[in-house]
Amino acid sequence: MSGSAPGEQGNARAIGVFDSGLGGLTVVHELRRCLPRESIVYLGDTARVPYGTRSAATVVRYARGCARLLVQRNIKALVIACNTASAVALDILQAELDLPVIGVVGPGARAAVTAADQAEREQGRPVRIGVMGTLSTIRSGAYAREVARLSSRHEVHSQAAPLLVPLVEEGWLEGDVPRLAIERYLSTLLKPDVGVLVLGCTHYPLLKSMIAEVALRLLGRPIRVVDSAEATASAVHELLEQRAWHTPNPEAALQLLVTDLPDSFQASATRFLGDVVGSAQAVDIMPADG
Amino acid sequence: MSGSAPGEQGNARAIGVFDSGLGGLTVVHELRRCLPRESIVYLGDTARVPYGTRSAATVVRYARGCARLLVQRNIKALVIACNTASAVALDILQAELDLPVIGVVGPGARAAVTAADQAEREQGRPVRIGVMGTLSTIRSGAYAREVARLSSRHEVHSQAAPLLVPLVEEGWLEGDVPRLAIERYLSTLLKPDVGVLVLGCTHYPLLKSMIAEVALRLLGRPIRVVDSAEATASAVHELLEQRAWHTPNPEAALQLLVTDLPDSFQASATRFLGDVVGSAQAVDIMPADG
């Protein structure tokens, strides 16, 4: 993580957050809970969502375009609120940008290891970590790598669960269809020794209680569910503390930018943010990142 | 539909086909069945799929980029094998391009009216037409408009069914999850007088038998299911007949171009084409169309 000090008045600059679409607003929800006096500028690349089914090369190209647009808005730190982009583009953006860049995978993996350590102490036997995410996130192996870097105690099982994103986008959060889809994914993922489940996609928190309920039924005992949105907000909080970059900004604002503004924007954004959203501004990503 | 004659040797030129992703290969499957001696160059805009959830303005921009790339490949006719792009961009591309442009909505609507006329004669009572499609296709009202242009006898009921695309992409073509999702959509769409159901999305033919089965159970009688891929291939056949543009080409080939080449390409393309696919070439859409 690089980055020069933003200086006295730089503290009032906004935190930049981007995601492939609107799912990253679950991270904004946690950031606002944790840092209510910070301004946030959010970019949802709704013209090219989803990233999770695309090749790594294309995701890197798209992530660069999003980051560049936010940097031009004079942000003090950048949050990649997208597991797929964090998994494949975090290192690159950290190397290329002259400001702190935080992804969701690192904080999510740290929270998972902490939860697994605790479960292991309580249960007195090894505890594995299960990770659900998009195809690209799971294929990248980013969570397994990050967990291994932090601890050699916990093995990681992974399962791509691509259908959960469109289910959330469609607003089908209850009923048989999401429950059976979750059951189908979890019945592959959950072995008896999996004690912690990481929601490795910013869409999944909206299905959190149903995922916990299905896991309880399949395993016959409760499981710890780690939401990387919460963990990421804590990591940003820590960063601002360390650098004394907190802003006692009485006019903290949330600005929403999107690359495509569909009719369903308000309903969808409100669902992810857990709060009524105002209007969003449509922006173009620089052509070179097509 | 405009277009200058391609001249003697122009007959051997390929038919250009584009779709937001790989679903349009269901149209290519029908084209090859119907016109086995024609060369086809197919462009799947896999870096920006799906179009069905985006605004009309963005879909028009993307469709222009795809069309321009194919025109540069010296095609004799252009098929928009995507219901969403056909619904919102057909008129624009027909006006802008100097070659025949065929979409899937017109042929699909014609086939639906023919089927509804026949059902009405057999049943001796009015028959309505049901249309399932993506959000953008249904919002555009393109099928209802096209049916109204052809006949005043048949009312159109429409239902967006966005989840069926990711279900097909995930390869979940059997079992409870797709069946319950189809049931949820059809129970809203199907009224007692709906006698013809149009599959207004190139992904849906892979769920055709399950859709027919659920409709039978809900209505207590069979329903005519119209697949716009078949209807579109017939329309292209007719066009080539009219213009005497048929190619007795012993080396008819299928060339596949994609804007993103994910690991899952082979499996997915093979599923839609109903035949083993060779390799695909990754191409960039001109930056200005971002």
Side-chain angles (χ1 to χ4, degrees):
Chain A
M1 195 180 295
S2 69
S4 53
E8 282 304 314
Q9 50 156 208
N11 292 351
R13 293 190 293 178
I15 299 165
V17 180
F18 80 85
D19 178 36
S20 56
L22 301 176
L25 288 172
T26 58
V27 176
V28 172
H29 172 81
E30 293 300 327
L31 280 172
R32 295 214 297 178
R33 230 169 40 87
C34 192
L35 298 162
R37 309 293 286 277
E38 295 291 333
S39 284
I40 295 170
V41 50
Y42 179 89
L43 169 62
D45 193 7
T46 45
R48 303 185 296 189
V49 70
Y51 286 2
T53 49
R54 311 203 196 283
S55 67
T58 292
V59 173
V60 167
R61 198 156 54 100
Y62 288 179
R64 271 200 181 111
C66 291
R68 191 168 58 191
L69 187 141
L70 285 171
V71 167
Q72 284 166 351
R73 301 252 165 173
N74 194 30
I75 54 174
K76 62 182 170 190
L78 178 65
V79 178
I80 310 179
C82 169
N83 281 268
T84 303
S86 298
V88 303
L90 176 66
D91 294 352
I92 294 169
L93 294 184
Q94 284 181 332
E96 289 178 357
L97 300 178
D98 189 28
L99 82 176
V101 183
I102 290 181
V104 287
V105 173
R110 262 195 302 286
V113 168
T114 304
D117 284 345
Q118 197 182 338
E120 198 169 296
R121 276 194 303 276
E122 284 170 20
Q123 298 169 20
R125 55 181 176 78
V127 164
R128 291 193 187 175
I129 295 170
V131 180
M132 302 172 85
T134 64
L135 272 173
S136 292
T137 298
I138 297 305
R139 275 207 196 107
S140 75
Y143 273 98
R145 243 187 346 266
E146 195 61 22
V147 166
R149 215 176 54 77
L150 296 165
S151 162
S152 58
R153 303 189 61 79
H154 310 292
E155 223 174 278
V156 173
H157 286 291
S158 299
Q159 173 67 47
L163 210 68
L164 301 191
V165 167
L167 273 166
V168 170
E169 300 262 342
E170 174 72 323
W172 287 13
L173 306 177
E174 283 169 18
D176 283 342
V177 178
R179 202 174 53 249
L180 288 169
I182 289 168
E183 202 173 289
R184 190 154 163 180
Y185 290 128
L186 286 187
S187 60
T188 315
L189 177 62
L190 294 182
K191 313 289 170 198
D193 52 359
V194 170
V196 173
L197 180 62
V198 181
L199 306 186
C201 173
T202 50
H203 278 68
Y204 298 175
L206 278 76
L207 291 167
K208 189 174 178 175
S209 58
M210 189 179 274
I211 288 169
E213 177 203 312
V214 172
L216 171 64
R217 191 153 39 78
L218 290 177
L219 286 174
R221 59 173 169 73
I223 196 168
R224 284 174 165 76
V225 179
V226 169
D227 173 349
S228 52
E230 282 174 29
T232 302
S234 302
V236 174
H237 190 267
E238 232 170 79
L239 168 83
L240 299 188
E241 290 267 307
Q242 277 170 7
R243 306 215 176 188
W245 280 3
H246 270 302
T247 314
N249 183 354
E251 295 182 356
L254 169 61
Q255 191 187 3
L256 297 181
L257 312 175
V258 290
T259 51
D260 182 50
L261 193 53
D263 293 348
S264 57
F265 168 77
Q266 296 284 337
S268 189
T270 298
R271 195 156 58 224
F272 287 113
L273 191 64
D275 193 3
V276 177
V277 297
S279 58
Q281 185 191 341
V283 294
D284 264 338
I285 301 279
M286 299 300 284
D289 298 286
Chain B
M1 195 180 297
S2 69
S4 53
E8 281 306 313
Q9 49 158 207
N11 293 352
R13 293 191 293 177
I15 299 166
V17 180
F18 80 87
D19 178 37
S20 56
L22 301 177
L25 289 172
T26 57
V27 176
V28 172
H29 171 82
E30 293 301 327
L31 279 172
R32 295 213 297 178
R33 231 170 38 87
C34 193
L35 298 161
R37 309 294 285 278
E38 295 290 333
S39 285
I40 296 172
V41 49
Y42 179 88
L43 169 62
D45 192 8
T46 46
R48 303 186 295 190
V49 68
Y51 287 0
T53 50
R54 311 201 196 284
S55 66
T58 292
V59 173
V60 167
R61 199 157 54 98
Y62 288 178
R64 273 199 180 113
C66 291
R68 192 169 55 190
L69 187 140
L70 286 171
V71 166
Q72 283 165 352
R73 302 251 164 174
N74 195 29
I75 54 173
K76 62 182 169 189
L78 178 66
V79 178
I80 309 178
C82 169
N83 281 267
T84 303
S86 297
V88 303
L90 175 66
D91 293 353
I92 294 169
L93 294 184
Q94 284 181 333
E96 289 177 359
L97 300 177
D98 190 28
L99 82 177
V101 183
I102 291 183
V104 286
V105 173
R110 263 195 302 287
V113 168
T114 304
D117 284 345
Q118 196 182 339
E120 197 168 297
R121 275 194 304 276
E122 284 170 21
Q123 297 169 22
R125 55 184 176 76
V127 164
R128 290 193 188 176
I129 296 170
V131 181
M132 302 173 86
T134 65
L135 273 173
S136 293
T137 299
I138 297 304
R139 276 209 193 105
S140 74
Y143 274 98
R145 242 188 345 267
E146 196 61 24
V147 166
R149 215 176 53 78
L150 296 164
S151 163
S152 58
R153 303 190 60 80
H154 311 292
E155 221 174 280
V156 173
H157 286 292
S158 299
Q159 172 67 44
L163 210 67
L164 301 191
V165 168
L167 273 167
V168 170
E169 300 262 342
E170 175 71 324
W172 287 13
L173 305 177
E174 283 169 18
D176 283 342
V177 178
R179 200 173 56 248
L180 288 168
I182 289 168
E183 201 174 290
R184 191 154 162 180
Y185 291 127
L186 285 188
S187 61
T188 316
L189 177 62
L190 293 182
K191 313 288 171 201
D193 51 359
V194 170
V196 173
L197 180 61
V198 181
L199 306 185
C201 174
T202 50
H203 278 68
Y204 299 174
L206 277 76
L207 291 167
K208 188 173 179 176
S209 59
M210 190 180 274
I211 289 170
E213 177 203 311
V214 172
L216 171 64
R217 190 154 39 79
L218 289 175
L219 286 173
R221 59 172 169 75
I223 195 169
R224 283 174 166 78
V225 179
V226 169
D227 173 349
S228 51
E230 283 173 28
T232 302
S234 302
V236 175
H237 189 267
E238 231 170 80
L239 168 82
L240 299 188
E241 291 267 306
Q242 277 169 9
R243 306 215 177 187
W245 281 3
H246 270 302
T247 313
N249 183 354
E251 296 183 356
L254 169 62
Q255 189 186 4
L256 297 181
L257 311 176
V258 290
T259 52
D260 182 49
L261 192 54
D263 293 347
S264 56
F265 169 76
Q266 295 285 338
S268 189
T270 298
R271 196 155 57 226
F272 287 114
L273 191 63
D275 193 2
V276 177
V277 296
S279 58
Q281 184 191 341
V283 294
D284 264 337
I285 299 278
M286 299 301 284
D289 298 286

